[in-house]
């Protein structure tokens, strides 16, 4: 049985037990809408040290070929760790208030 | 089929040996019984293939059982009293995850005061946990019930507790008829789990957080599965009767056909009450007995039909609800009879707490008193504490 997440299931449609019959379903849970502060990345200033990539608790820093390419706002909760960890000399990430 | 002499504990351990579960995890907290100890001898002697996991508490014992069951194993354990209380949290987790674990249990009172003797307060305190509950009247029934319960549990994905009365059954040597190992294996069949956490080809998510949006749906589905247990039980009990010649209905009636009054009780006391009924019948007094064997799920229609035909019924409860309204069997029976077309006058006798002896004269007194209730057409005393000093 494949579970559908396009609408809330009723109790008769659920597999027995508190089981989800596939793995890594948290990918479909977009936590980005929890965010009240948004990190803004400046590609010009970035030195690609990847400290933000290592410390991001939501793996929301996207990287390609060893270089940072941006922030995945689908999952970024706006915790601000990336902005704090970013070396002061680079200071490539600013936190700004999320606009409605 | 062979005949042997065994105590209730030995009988249950022997059934576990013949079932030969994949995993047994246990810890002998006081007052544990020797069921696990006997079973661990079978493990040490190589008579079973079971992985025996010795853990550090009953909480861990059932937790290890949950893990083993999620991995797709056939899993059993044993406990009593405080041990079941310590497992309480995990009882709900096993049931919610639909893990058909079976516990061979000995009913013992809960502390305080400290006591190791029989009453039903341990399992009655867990009756909302989502486990099937079977109360046995003797060792033969305990042996048979473990085998029946395992099959019902695995077919319905509802875990089961099979219990005996401490010492009265657990430590008393009785004549017992047992099946051959192969007969038991053929009856229970190979366990085909619905899922396995070790199935790496089909990874699944077990035990995720389930909040306001889905928790209620999961619980509703669990309640629905639970409602199918009685039907499955009736079918499996019938199959077992064909194999063994011993049939165990969810609710047993004894000499009730023309009876005006009856006692409604569970466990070994029901067997004692049968002796009393036989004696009363010789005197020409029309009295019967209804024995509560399955208490979860409640055989509601069966209880309504069985008790509805009497003029008066005395419930005998071996625990109290601390609701100032008698024992759990009384309370729930009153609820069941509320909308019955015909209903008896219903009284409650709370008896035998902490192993206080219950003998033929006590039960005779109950029959005398309910006969009096019928004559008067009313109840003078709704709840009686039977056999306690200061109360007579």
């Amino acid at each position: 049985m494949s579970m559908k997440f396009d609408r809330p299931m009723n109790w008769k449609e659920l597999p027995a037990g508190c089981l989800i019959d596939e793995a890594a379903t948290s990918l479909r849970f977009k936590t980005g809408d929890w965010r009240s502060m948004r990190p803004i990345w400046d590609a010009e200033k970035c030195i690609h040290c990847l400290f933000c990539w290592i410390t991001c608790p939501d793996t929301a820093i996207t990287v390609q070929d060893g270089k940072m390419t941006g922030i995945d706002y689908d999952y970024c909760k706006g915790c601000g760790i990336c902005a704090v960890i970013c070396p002061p000399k680079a200071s490539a990430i600013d936190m700004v208030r999320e606009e409605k | 089929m062979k005949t042997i002499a065994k105590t209730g504990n030995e009988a249950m351990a022997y059934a576990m040996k013949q079932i030969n579960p994949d995993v047994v995890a246990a810890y002998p907290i006081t007052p544990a019984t020797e069921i696990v100890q006997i079973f661990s001898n079978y493990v040490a002697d190589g008579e079973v293939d079971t992985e025996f996991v010795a853990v550090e508490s009953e909480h861990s014992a059932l937790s290890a059982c949950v893990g083993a069951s999620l991995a797709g194993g056939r899993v059993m354990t044993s406990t009593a009293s405080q041990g079941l209380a310590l497992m309480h949290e995990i009882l709900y987790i096993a049931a919610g995850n639909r893990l058909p674990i079976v516990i061979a249990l000995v009913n013992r009172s809960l502390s305080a005061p400290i006591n190791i003797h029989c009453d039903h307060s341990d399992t009655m305190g867990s009756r909302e946990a989502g486990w099937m509950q079977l109360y046995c009247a003797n060792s033969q029934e305990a042996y048979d019930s473990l085998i029946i319960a395992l099959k019902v549990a695995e077919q319905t994905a509802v875990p089961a507790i099979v219990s005996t009365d401490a010492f009265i059954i657990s430590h008393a040597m009785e004549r017992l008829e047992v099946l051959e190992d192969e007969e038991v294996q053929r009856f229970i069949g190979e366990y085909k789990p619905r899922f396995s956490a070790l199935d790496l080809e089909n990874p699944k998510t077990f035990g995720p957080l389930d909040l306001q949006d889905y928790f209620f749906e999961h619980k509703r589905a669990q309640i629905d599965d639970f409602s199918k247990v009685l039907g499955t039980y009736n079918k499996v009990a019938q199959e077992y009767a064909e194999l063994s010649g011993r049939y165990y209905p969810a609710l047993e009636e004894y000499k009730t056909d023309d009876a005006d009054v009856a006692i409604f009780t569970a466990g070994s006391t029901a067997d004692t009450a049968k002796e009393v009924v036989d004696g009363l019948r010789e005197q020409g007094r029309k009295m019967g007995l209804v024995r509560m064997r399955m208490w979860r799920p409640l055989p509601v229609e069966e209880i309504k039909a069985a008790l509805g035909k009497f003029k008066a019924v005395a419930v005998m409860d071996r625990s109290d609800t601390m609701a100032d309204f008698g024992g759990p069997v009384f309370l729930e029976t009153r609820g069941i009879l509320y909308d019955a077309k015909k209903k008896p006058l219903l009284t409650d006798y709370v008896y035998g707490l902490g192993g206080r002896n219950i003998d033929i004269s006590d039960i005779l007194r109950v029959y005398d008193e309910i006969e009096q209730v019928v004559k008067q057409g009313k109840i003078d005393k709704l709840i009686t504490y039977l056999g306690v000093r200061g109360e007579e």
Side-chain angles (χ1 to χ4, degrees):
Chain A
M1 187 167 107
S2 180
M3 294 173 76
K4 291 188 172 64
F5 292 91
D6 54 340
R7 58 171 175 82
M9 280 175 281
N10 75 46
W11 66 265
K12 291 170 187 169
E13 298 169 310
L14 293 169
C18 16
L19 174 88
I20 302 173
D21 70 353
E22 56 193 293
T25 51
S26 57
L27 282 172
R28 297 185 207 166
F29 187 29
K30 305 279 170 70
T31 48
D33 60 4
W34 298 13
R35 196 173 51 241
S36 61
M37 296 293 284
R38 170 185 284 254
I40 304 292
W41 172 63
D42 188 334
E44 299 291 309
K45 291 183 182 172
C46 180
I47 58 171
H48 304 285
C49 65
L50 301 188
F51 283 3
C52 57
W53 175 73
I54 291 168
T55 50
C56 175
D58 289 295
T59 33
I61 305 294
T62 57
V63 170
Q64 203 170 6
D65 302 327
K67 301 261 185 191
M68 184 182 172
T69 55
I71 292 164
D72 187 341
Y73 292 110
D74 278 351
Y75 301 106
C76 167
K77 295 191 192 111
C79 70
I81 289 174
C82 55
V84 171
I85 206 78
C86 186
K89 280 183 183 168
S91 190
I93 298 175
D94 269 339
M95 298 300 291
V96 299
R97 189 156 292 280
E98 193 71 43
E99 281 164 31
K100 289 276 184 221
Chain B
M1 195 92 74
K2 61 182 172 189
T3 305
I4 51 175
K6 285 205 181 295
T7 65
N9 287 336
E10 288 167 352
M12 285 179 121
Y14 194 76
M16 286 173 73
K17 167 181 156 326
Q18 292 187 307
I19 289 166
N20 195 4
D22 296 313
V23 175
V24 168
Y27 176 84
I29 195 176
T30 299
T33 70
E34 64 209 326
I35 295 172
V36 163
Q37 178 202 325
I38 299 165
F39 185 80
S40 67
N41 286 344
Y42 292 135
V43 176
D45 293 343
E47 293 192 57
V48 289
D49 308 309
T50 307
E51 179 76 31
F52 184 82
V53 189
V55 290
E56 72 287 354
S57 77
E58 306 273 7
H59 188 277
S60 302
L62 195 55
S63 298
C65 287
V66 164
S69 189
L70 279 172
R74 175 173 270 163
V75 182
M76 298 181 79
T77 186
S78 174
T79 191
S81 175
Q82 307 303 125
L84 185 69
L86 193 48
M87 286 179 175
H88 190 72
E89 177 188 355
I90 314 299
L91 288 175
Y92 286 77
I93 293 172
N97 281 295
R98 305 293 212 298
L99 304 176
I101 300 163
V102 176
I103 299 181
L105 188 134
V106 174
N107 281 122
R108 290 175 150 173
S109 53
L110 288 173
S111 193
I114 296 176
N115 181 292
I116 57 171
H117 288 268
C118 177
D119 67 39
H120 295 161
S121 48
D122 50 3
T123 44
M124 283 297 168
S126 296
R127 65 196 195 279
E128 268 98 54
W131 287 57
M132 176 169 69
Q133 288 194 357
L134 297 177
Y135 292 80
C136 301
N138 51 57
S139 298
Q140 178 73 65
E141 187 181 335
Y143 165 83
D144 295 325
S145 297
L146 267 186
I147 298 165
I148 295 170
L150 183 95
K151 190 163 177 173
V152 178
E154 289 179 354
Q155 283 188 6
T156 57
V158 167
I161 292 172
V162 176
S163 67
T164 68
D165 288 350
F167 292 103
I168 304 159
I169 300 174
S170 71
H171 288 62
M173 186 78 71
E174 279 187 88
R175 179 188 168 282
L176 197 71
E177 279 183 4
V178 295
L179 301 169
E180 299 298 333
D181 292 359
E182 305 78 55
E183 288 180 302
V184 174
Q185 281 301 315
R186 217 175 308 126
F187 180 77
I188 58 176
E190 190 194 340
Y191 176 45
K192 297 189 185 75
R194 297 175 182 195
F195 50 77
S196 166
L198 299 179
D199 179 4
L200 301 182
E201 301 297 312
N202 301 290
K204 298 183 191 312
T205 304
F206 298 96
L209 185 67
D210 196 18
L211 299 178
Q212 302 96 318
D213 50 352
Y214 269 107
F215 183 91
F216 202 172
E217 278 70 25
H218 278 119
K219 279 293 157 192
R220 181 65 190 85
Q222 187 186 348
I223 292 160
D224 187 63
D225 274 4
F226 211 68
S227 74
K228 293 166 189 151
V229 173
L230 180 58
T232 306
Y233 172 84
N234 288 337
K235 199 162 59 59
V236 173
Q238 193 59 50
E239 288 166 19
Y240 191 78
E242 282 156 25
L243 172 68
S244 67
R246 293 181 293 276
Y247 177 61
Y248 298 101
L251 189 78
E252 183 193 2
E253 294 192 46
Y254 186 73
K255 301 194 176 174
T256 54
D257 280 349
D258 60 343
D260 294 327
V261 299
I263 281 178
F264 182 39
T265 193
S268 59
T269 305
D271 266 15
T272 314
K274 284 179 183 174
E275 291 288 320
V276 178
V277 168
D278 290 347
L280 291 167
R281 289 272 165 183
E282 280 172 24
Q283 297 169 18
R285 294 163 77 183
K286 292 178 180 173
M287 297 174 167
L289 171 83
V290 180
R291 178 164 74 95
M292 175 277 266
R293 176 171 143 75
M294 178 183 278
W295 195 240
R296 280 296 180 273
L298 272 176
V300 172
E301 293 309 319
E302 286 78 355
I303 291 173
K304 208 183 279 183
L307 300 187
K309 57 181 178 267
F310 304 112
K311 290 175 182 160
V313 171
V315 174
M316 290 184 69
D317 262 300
R318 205 159 192 160
S319 63
D320 194 273
T321 53
M322 296 292 166
D324 194 22
F325 202 43
V329 182
F330 174 67
L331 270 181
E332 295 189 15
T333 303
R334 264 175 82 106
I336 289 166
L337 292 171
Y338 181 78
D339 61 354
K341 286 200 178 72
K342 280 184 67 187
K343 52 191 157 194
L345 293 163
L346 199 70
T347 62
D348 192 23
Y349 288 81
V350 176
Y351 76 98
L353 300 191
R356 174 59 50 85
N357 196 35
I358 176 92
D359 62 24
I360 282 177
S361 64
D362 298 314
I363 296 170
L364 207 49
R365 178 189 144 186
V366 176
Y367 276 112
D368 285 342
E369 289 184 4
I370 41 170
E371 198 173 39
Q372 207 54 39
V373 164
V374 173
K375 276 182 190 158
Q376 293 179 0
K378 67 178 178 68
I379 294 162
D380 284 335
K381 196 174 184 190
L382 192 64
I383 294 147
T384 304
Y385 289 87
L386 182 68
V388 63
R389 290 185 298 278
E391 189 82 4
E392 309 319 317

